[in-house]
Short mmCIF file of all heavy atoms in Angstrom, two decimals:
data_model
loop_
_atom_site.label_atom_id
_atom_site.label_comp_id
_atom_site.label_asym_id
_atom_site.label_seq_id
_atom_site.Cartn_x
_atom_site.Cartn_y
_atom_site.Cartn_z
N GLN F 5 -35.15 116.48 24.29
CA GLN F 5 -34.44 116.08 25.50
C GLN F 5 -33.68 114.78 25.30
O GLN F 5 -32.62 114.58 25.87
CB GLN F 5 -35.43 115.94 26.65
CG GLN F 5 -36.03 117.28 27.09
CD GLN F 5 -37.16 117.08 28.05
OE1 GLN F 5 -37.95 116.15 27.92
NE2 GLN F 5 -37.26 117.95 29.04
N ARG F 6 -34.23 113.89 24.46
CA ARG F 6 -33.58 112.60 24.25
C ARG F 6 -32.40 112.68 23.30
O ARG F 6 -31.41 112.00 23.47
CB ARG F 6 -34.60 111.59 23.68
CG ARG F 6 -35.69 111.20 24.62
CD ARG F 6 -36.37 109.93 24.12
NE ARG F 6 -36.87 110.06 22.75
CZ ARG F 6 -38.08 110.45 22.44
NH1 ARG F 6 -38.92 110.80 23.40
NH2 ARG F 6 -38.48 110.52 21.19
N PHE F 7 -32.50 113.53 22.27
CA PHE F 7 -31.60 113.41 21.14
C PHE F 7 -30.68 114.60 20.91
O PHE F 7 -29.89 114.57 20.00
CB PHE F 7 -32.39 113.14 19.86
CG PHE F 7 -33.22 111.89 19.93
CD1 PHE F 7 -34.49 111.85 19.43
CD2 PHE F 7 -32.69 110.75 20.53
CE1 PHE F 7 -35.24 110.70 19.50
CE2 PHE F 7 -33.44 109.59 20.60
CZ PHE F 7 -34.72 109.56 20.09
N LEU F 8 -30.77 115.66 21.68
CA LEU F 8 -29.80 116.75 21.54
C LEU F 8 -28.48 116.28 22.13
O LEU F 8 -28.42 115.81 23.26
CB LEU F 8 -30.30 117.99 22.27
CG LEU F 8 -29.47 119.25 22.08
CD1 LEU F 8 -29.40 119.62 20.60
CD2 LEU F 8 -30.06 120.40 22.87
N ASN F 9 -27.41 116.39 21.37
CA ASN F 9 -26.13 115.78 21.74
C ASN F 9 -25.36 116.66 22.72
O ASN F 9 -24.80 117.67 22.33
CB ASN F 9 -25.30 115.58 20.47
CG ASN F 9 -24.02 114.84 20.73
OD1 ASN F 9 -23.70 114.53 21.88
ND2 ASN F 9 -23.27 114.54 19.68
N PRO F 10 -25.32 116.32 24.01
CA PRO F 10 -24.60 117.16 24.97
C PRO F 10 -23.09 117.16 24.76
O PRO F 10 -22.42 118.11 25.11
CB PRO F 10 -24.98 116.52 26.32
CG PRO F 10 -25.29 115.10 26.00
CD PRO F 10 -25.89 115.12 24.62
N THR F 11 -22.54 116.08 24.19
CA THR F 11 -21.10 116.01 23.96
C THR F 11 -20.65 117.11 23.02
O THR F 11 -19.58 117.71 23.19
CB THR F 11 -20.73 114.64 23.37
OG1 THR F 11 -21.19 113.61 24.24
CG2 THR F 11 -19.22 114.52 23.18
N LEU F 12 -21.46 117.40 22.00
CA LEU F 12 -21.12 118.46 21.06
C LEU F 12 -21.03 119.80 21.76
O LEU F 12 -20.10 120.56 21.54
CB LEU F 12 -22.17 118.51 19.94
CG LEU F 12 -21.99 119.60 18.87
CD1 LEU F 12 -20.63 119.43 18.21
CD2 LEU F 12 -23.10 119.50 17.84
N PHE F 13 -21.97 120.08 22.66
CA PHE F 13 -21.96 121.34 23.37
C PHE F 13 -20.77 121.41 24.33
O PHE F 13 -20.17 122.46 24.49
CB PHE F 13 -23.26 121.52 24.14
CG PHE F 13 -24.40 121.90 23.26
CD1 PHE F 13 -25.32 120.95 22.86
CD2 PHE F 13 -24.55 123.20 22.81
CE1 PHE F 13 -26.37 121.31 22.04
CE2 PHE F 13 -25.59 123.56 21.99
CZ PHE F 13 -26.51 122.60 21.60
N LYS F 14 -20.45 120.31 24.98
CA LYS F 14 -19.34 120.30 25.91
C LYS F 14 -18.03 120.61 25.20
O LYS F 14 -17.18 121.33 25.70
CB LYS F 14 -19.25 118.94 26.62
CG LYS F 14 -20.38 118.72 27.64
CD LYS F 14 -20.27 117.35 28.27
CE LYS F 14 -21.41 117.09 29.26
NZ LYS F 14 -21.36 115.74 29.82
N SER F 15 -17.86 120.05 24.00
CA SER F 15 -16.63 120.28 23.27
C SER F 15 -16.52 121.73 22.83
O SER F 15 -15.44 122.30 22.80
CB SER F 15 -16.56 119.36 22.04
OG SER F 15 -17.61 119.65 21.14
N LEU F 16 -17.65 122.34 22.49
CA LEU F 16 -17.63 123.75 22.12
C LEU F 16 -17.33 124.62 23.33
O LEU F 16 -16.55 125.56 23.26
CB LEU F 16 -18.99 124.15 21.52
CG LEU F 16 -19.29 123.61 20.12
CD1 LEU F 16 -20.74 123.88 19.76
CD2 LEU F 16 -18.36 124.25 19.09
N ALA F 17 -17.95 124.30 24.44
CA ALA F 17 -17.79 125.11 25.65
C ALA F 17 -16.36 125.02 26.19
O ALA F 17 -15.87 125.97 26.79
CB ALA F 17 -18.78 124.65 26.71
N SER F 18 -15.69 123.89 25.97
CA SER F 18 -14.36 123.71 26.53
C SER F 18 -13.35 124.67 25.91
O SER F 18 -12.31 124.93 26.48
CB SER F 18 -13.89 122.27 26.31
OG SER F 18 -13.78 121.99 24.93
N SER F 19 -13.67 125.21 24.72
CA SER F 19 -12.76 126.14 24.08
C SER F 19 -12.80 127.52 24.71
O SER F 19 -11.95 128.35 24.45
CB SER F 19 -13.10 126.25 22.58
OG SER F 19 -14.39 126.82 22.42
N ASN F 20 -13.78 127.76 25.58
CA ASN F 20 -13.89 129.06 26.25
C ASN F 20 -14.51 128.85 27.62
O ASN F 20 -15.70 128.77 27.76
CB ASN F 20 -14.76 130.01 25.40
CG ASN F 20 -14.76 131.43 25.97
OD1 ASN F 20 -14.35 131.66 27.10
ND2 ASN F 20 -15.23 132.38 25.17
N LYS F 21 -13.68 128.74 28.64
CA LYS F 21 -14.16 128.40 29.98
C LYS F 21 -15.03 129.50 30.57
O LYS F 21 -15.83 129.25 31.47
CB LYS F 21 -12.97 128.14 30.92
CG LYS F 21 -12.09 126.98 30.47
CD LYS F 21 -12.85 125.67 30.45
CE LYS F 21 -11.93 124.51 30.12
NZ LYS F 21 -12.64 123.22 30.09
N ASN F 22 -14.87 130.73 30.08
CA ASN F 22 -15.64 131.84 30.62
C ASN F 22 -16.91 132.12 29.84
O ASN F 22 -17.61 133.09 30.10
CB ASN F 22 -14.78 133.12 30.64
CG ASN F 22 -13.57 132.96 31.55
OD1 ASN F 22 -13.67 132.38 32.62
ND2 ASN F 22 -12.43 133.49 31.10
N SER F 23 -17.20 131.28 28.85
CA SER F 23 -18.38 131.51 28.04
C SER F 23 -19.63 131.15 28.82
O SER F 23 -19.60 130.33 29.74
CB SER F 23 -18.32 130.67 26.76
OG SER F 23 -18.36 129.30 27.09
N PRO F 24 -20.77 131.76 28.48
CA PRO F 24 -22.02 131.41 29.17
C PRO F 24 -22.44 129.99 28.85
O PRO F 24 -21.95 129.39 27.90
CB PRO F 24 -23.01 132.42 28.58
CG PRO F 24 -22.43 132.81 27.26
CD PRO F 24 -20.95 132.78 27.46
N SER F 25 -23.31 129.47 29.65
CA SER F 25 -23.80 128.12 29.42
C SER F 25 -24.40 128.01 28.04
O SER F 25 -25.09 128.90 27.57
CB SER F 25 -24.89 127.79 30.46
OG SER F 25 -25.56 126.60 30.09
N PRO F 26 -24.12 126.91 27.31
CA PRO F 26 -24.69 126.74 25.98
C PRO F 26 -26.18 126.48 26.01
O PRO F 26 -26.82 126.47 24.97
CB PRO F 26 -23.92 125.53 25.43
CG PRO F 26 -23.52 124.77 26.64
CD PRO F 26 -23.23 125.82 27.69
N PHE F 27 -26.75 126.22 27.17
CA PHE F 27 -28.17 125.95 27.26
C PHE F 27 -28.88 127.13 27.87
O PHE F 27 -28.65 127.50 29.02
CB PHE F 27 -28.43 124.71 28.14
CG PHE F 27 -27.85 123.46 27.54
CD1 PHE F 27 -27.07 122.61 28.31
CD2 PHE F 27 -28.07 123.14 26.22
CE1 PHE F 27 -26.54 121.46 27.76
CE2 PHE F 27 -27.55 122.00 25.66
CZ PHE F 27 -26.78 121.15 26.43
N LEU F 28 -29.75 127.78 27.11
CA LEU F 28 -30.54 128.89 27.62
C LEU F 28 -31.87 128.35 28.12
O LEU F 28 -32.57 127.66 27.42
CB LEU F 28 -30.79 129.92 26.50
CG LEU F 28 -29.54 130.58 25.91
CD1 LEU F 28 -29.96 131.61 24.88
CD2 LEU F 28 -28.70 131.23 26.99
N ARG F 29 -32.22 128.68 29.34
CA ARG F 29 -33.47 128.20 29.93
C ARG F 29 -34.55 129.25 29.74
O ARG F 29 -34.40 130.38 30.18
CB ARG F 29 -33.28 127.94 31.43
CG ARG F 29 -32.11 127.02 31.74
CD ARG F 29 -32.36 125.60 31.25
NE ARG F 29 -31.23 124.74 31.55
CZ ARG F 29 -31.18 123.47 31.23
NH1 ARG F 29 -32.16 122.90 30.60
NH2 ARG F 29 -30.11 122.74 31.52
N LEU F 30 -35.62 128.89 29.07
CA LEU F 30 -36.71 129.82 28.85
C LEU F 30 -37.75 129.62 29.95
O LEU F 30 -38.62 128.76 29.87
CB LEU F 30 -37.35 129.57 27.47
CG LEU F 30 -36.38 129.67 26.28
CD1 LEU F 30 -37.14 129.46 24.99
CD2 LEU F 30 -35.67 131.00 26.27
N LYS F 31 -37.62 130.40 31.03
CA LYS F 31 -38.50 130.23 32.18
C LYS F 31 -39.66 131.21 32.19
O LYS F 31 -40.64 131.02 32.88
CB LYS F 31 -37.70 130.37 33.48
CG LYS F 31 -36.74 129.21 33.72
CD LYS F 31 -36.11 129.31 35.08
CE LYS F 31 -35.22 128.10 35.36
NZ LYS F 31 -34.57 128.19 36.67
N SER F 32 -39.52 132.31 31.46
CA SER F 32 -40.61 133.26 31.41
C SER F 32 -40.63 133.90 30.04
O SER F 32 -39.61 134.12 29.43
CB SER F 32 -40.43 134.34 32.48
OG SER F 32 -39.26 135.09 32.24
N ALA F 33 -41.82 134.17 29.55
CA ALA F 33 -41.94 134.79 28.23
C ALA F 33 -43.24 135.55 28.18
O ALA F 33 -44.19 135.25 28.89
CB ALA F 33 -41.92 133.71 27.14
N SER F 34 -43.25 136.56 27.36
CA SER F 34 -44.46 137.32 27.15
C SER F 34 -44.60 137.58 25.66
O SER F 34 -43.77 138.22 25.05
CB SER F 34 -44.40 138.66 27.90
OG SER F 34 -45.55 139.43 27.64
N THR F 35 -45.64 137.02 25.04
CA THR F 35 -45.81 137.16 23.61
C THR F 35 -47.23 137.56 23.30
O THR F 35 -48.17 137.10 23.95
CB THR F 35 -45.50 135.83 22.90
OG1 THR F 35 -46.33 134.80 23.46
CG2 THR F 35 -44.05 135.45 23.06
N THR F 36 -47.38 138.42 22.33
CA THR F 36 -48.70 138.82 21.86
C THR F 36 -48.68 138.80 20.34
O THR F 36 -47.78 139.34 19.71
CB THR F 36 -49.05 140.25 22.32
OG1 THR F 36 -48.99 140.28 23.74
CG2 THR F 36 -50.45 140.62 21.86
N PHE F 37 -49.68 138.16 19.73
CA PHE F 37 -49.71 138.03 18.29
C PHE F 37 -51.05 138.52 17.77
O PHE F 37 -52.11 138.17 18.28
CB PHE F 37 -49.52 136.56 17.89
CG PHE F 37 -48.30 135.94 18.49
CD1 PHE F 37 -48.41 135.04 19.54
CD2 PHE F 37 -47.05 136.28 18.03
CE1 PHE F 37 -47.28 134.48 20.10
CE2 PHE F 37 -45.91 135.71 18.60
CZ PHE F 37 -46.03 134.82 19.63
N ASN F 38 -51.01 139.34 16.73
CA ASN F 38 -52.20 139.82 16.07
C ASN F 38 -52.09 139.48 14.59
O ASN F 38 -51.20 139.97 13.90
CB ASN F 38 -52.34 141.35 16.24
CG ASN F 38 -52.53 141.72 17.69
OD1 ASN F 38 -53.41 141.19 18.35
ND2 ASN F 38 -51.71 142.64 18.19
N PHE F 39 -53.00 138.63 14.11
CA PHE F 39 -52.92 138.16 12.74
C PHE F 39 -54.04 138.75 11.89
O PHE F 39 -55.16 138.95 12.36
CB PHE F 39 -53.01 136.63 12.67
CG PHE F 39 -51.85 135.95 13.30
CD1 PHE F 39 -52.01 135.25 14.49
CD2 PHE F 39 -50.61 136.00 12.72
CE1 PHE F 39 -50.93 134.62 15.08
CE2 PHE F 39 -49.53 135.36 13.30
CZ PHE F 39 -49.69 134.68 14.47
N LYS F 40 -53.75 139.00 10.63
CA LYS F 40 -54.75 139.39 9.65
C LYS F 40 -55.08 138.15 8.82
O LYS F 40 -54.27 137.26 8.66
CB LYS F 40 -54.20 140.49 8.75
CG LYS F 40 -53.89 141.79 9.51
CD LYS F 40 -53.34 142.82 8.55
CE LYS F 40 -53.03 144.12 9.30
NZ LYS F 40 -52.47 145.15 8.39
N PRO F 41 -56.29 138.08 8.25
CA PRO F 41 -56.65 136.92 7.42
C PRO F 41 -55.71 136.79 6.24
O PRO F 41 -55.18 137.78 5.72
CB PRO F 41 -58.08 137.26 6.97
CG PRO F 41 -58.58 138.26 7.95
CD PRO F 41 -57.37 139.05 8.38
N LEU F 42 -55.51 135.55 5.78
CA LEU F 42 -54.70 135.33 4.60
C LEU F 42 -55.39 135.92 3.39
O LEU F 42 -56.60 135.78 3.22
CB LEU F 42 -54.49 133.82 4.36
CG LEU F 42 -53.59 133.11 5.37
CD1 LEU F 42 -53.57 131.63 5.06
CD2 LEU F 42 -52.19 133.67 5.34
N THR F 43 -54.64 136.60 2.55
CA THR F 43 -55.23 137.24 1.38
C THR F 43 -55.06 136.42 0.11
O THR F 43 -55.67 136.72 -0.89
CB THR F 43 -54.58 138.62 1.16
OG1 THR F 43 -53.17 138.45 1.04
CG2 THR F 43 -54.88 139.53 2.34
N SER F 44 -54.22 135.39 0.17
CA SER F 44 -54.05 134.51 -0.99
C SER F 44 -53.66 133.14 -0.50
O SER F 44 -53.25 132.95 0.63
CB SER F 44 -52.98 135.06 -1.93
OG SER F 44 -51.70 134.94 -1.36
N SER F 45 -53.77 132.15 -1.40
CA SER F 45 -53.49 130.77 -1.01
C SER F 45 -52.04 130.54 -0.66
O SER F 45 -51.70 129.58 0.01
CB SER F 45 -53.90 129.83 -2.15
OG SER F 45 -53.15 130.13 -3.31
N SER F 46 -51.15 131.42 -1.14
CA SER F 46 -49.73 131.21 -0.90
C SER F 46 -49.17 132.13 0.17
O SER F 46 -47.96 132.18 0.37
CB SER F 46 -48.95 131.41 -2.21
OG SER F 46 -49.13 132.73 -2.69
N ALA F 47 -50.03 132.87 0.86
CA ALA F 47 -49.54 133.85 1.83
C ALA F 47 -48.99 133.16 3.06
O ALA F 47 -49.55 132.19 3.56
CB ALA F 47 -50.66 134.81 2.22
N THR F 48 -47.89 133.66 3.57
CA THR F 48 -47.31 133.20 4.82
C THR F 48 -46.98 134.42 5.66
O THR F 48 -46.31 135.33 5.20
CB THR F 48 -46.01 132.40 4.58
OG1 THR F 48 -46.32 131.26 3.78
CG2 THR F 48 -45.42 131.95 5.90
N ILE F 49 -47.49 134.46 6.88
CA ILE F 49 -47.22 135.56 7.79
C ILE F 49 -46.28 135.08 8.86
O ILE F 49 -46.52 134.05 9.50
CB ILE F 49 -48.52 136.10 8.42
CG1 ILE F 49 -49.46 136.61 7.33
CG2 ILE F 49 -48.22 137.20 9.44
CD1 ILE F 49 -50.83 136.98 7.84
N ILE F 50 -45.17 135.79 9.07
CA ILE F 50 -44.22 135.45 10.12
C ILE F 50 -44.18 136.60 11.11
O ILE F 50 -43.86 137.72 10.74
CB ILE F 50 -42.81 135.20 9.55
CG1 ILE F 50 -42.85 134.07 8.51
CG2 ILE F 50 -41.83 134.88 10.67
CD1 ILE F 50 -41.52 133.83 7.85
N THR F 51 -44.55 136.33 12.34
CA THR F 51 -44.51 137.33 13.39
C THR F 51 -43.34 137.02 14.31
O THR F 51 -43.19 135.88 14.75
CB THR F 51 -45.81 137.34 14.20
OG1 THR F 51 -46.88 137.67 13.32
CG2 THR F 51 -45.74 138.35 15.32
N ARG F 52 -42.52 138.01 14.63
CA ARG F 52 -41.39 137.81 15.51
C ARG F 52 -41.73 138.39 16.88
O ARG F 52 -42.23 139.51 16.98
CB ARG F 52 -40.13 138.47 14.95
CG ARG F 52 -39.72 137.89 13.60
CD ARG F 52 -38.52 138.62 13.03
NE ARG F 52 -38.21 138.16 11.69
CZ ARG F 52 -37.43 137.15 11.41
NH1 ARG F 52 -36.86 136.48 12.38
NH2 ARG F 52 -37.19 136.79 10.17
N ALA F 53 -41.46 137.65 17.93
CA ALA F 53 -41.74 138.10 19.29
C ALA F 53 -40.52 137.89 20.16
O ALA F 53 -39.79 136.92 20.01
CB ALA F 53 -42.93 137.32 19.87
N ALA F 54 -40.29 138.82 21.07
CA ALA F 54 -39.15 138.72 21.99
C ALA F 54 -39.52 137.83 23.15
O ALA F 54 -40.50 138.05 23.84
CB ALA F 54 -38.76 140.10 22.49
N VAL F 55 -38.74 136.77 23.35
CA VAL F 55 -38.92 135.86 24.46
C VAL F 55 -37.71 136.01 25.37
O VAL F 55 -36.58 135.82 24.93
CB VAL F 55 -39.03 134.40 23.96
CG1 VAL F 55 -39.21 133.45 25.13
CG2 VAL F 55 -40.17 134.27 22.98
N SER F 56 -37.90 136.39 26.61
CA SER F 56 -36.77 136.67 27.49
C SER F 56 -36.42 135.48 28.35
O SER F 56 -37.28 134.72 28.78
CB SER F 56 -37.09 137.87 28.39
OG SER F 56 -38.19 137.57 29.22
N SER F 57 -35.13 135.30 28.60
CA SER F 57 -34.65 134.26 29.49
C SER F 57 -34.37 134.87 30.86
O SER F 57 -33.58 135.80 30.98
CB SER F 57 -33.36 133.63 28.93
OG SER F 57 -32.74 132.83 29.90
N SER F 58 -35.02 134.35 31.90
CA SER F 58 -34.84 134.92 33.22
C SER F 58 -33.46 134.63 33.79
O SER F 58 -33.00 135.32 34.69
CB SER F 58 -35.92 134.35 34.17
OG SER F 58 -35.82 132.95 34.24
N ASP F 59 -32.77 133.60 33.29
CA ASP F 59 -31.43 133.28 33.78
C ASP F 59 -30.39 134.28 33.29
O ASP F 59 -29.56 134.78 34.05
CB ASP F 59 -31.02 131.87 33.32
CG ASP F 59 -31.73 130.79 34.13
OD1 ASP F 59 -32.43 131.15 35.09
OD2 ASP F 59 -31.56 129.61 33.79
N SER F 60 -30.44 134.59 31.99
CA SER F 60 -29.42 135.45 31.41
C SER F 60 -29.88 136.87 31.18
O SER F 60 -29.08 137.75 30.96
CB SER F 60 -28.95 134.85 30.07
OG SER F 60 -30.02 134.85 29.16
#
Side-chain angles (χ1 to χ4, degrees):
Q5 292 170 322
R6 292 197 304 268
F7 301 138
L8 187 59
N9 185 356
T11 304
L12 178 58
F13 284 101
K14 288 178 182 177
S15 63
L16 288 170
S18 63
S19 65
N20 187 346
K21 299 298 185 180
N22 297 320
S23 64
S25 168
F27 296 130
L28 298 183
R29 306 293 180 180
L30 303 182
K31 290 187 177 179
S32 63
S34 177
T35 55
T36 302
F37 308 105
N38 296 307
F39 294 110
K40 296 179 180 179
L42 290 176
T43 56
S44 71
S45 61
S46 61
T48 300
I49 299 172
I50 302 176
T51 298
R52 299 176 186 272
V55 180
S56 62
S57 168
S58 60
D59 284 354
S60 64

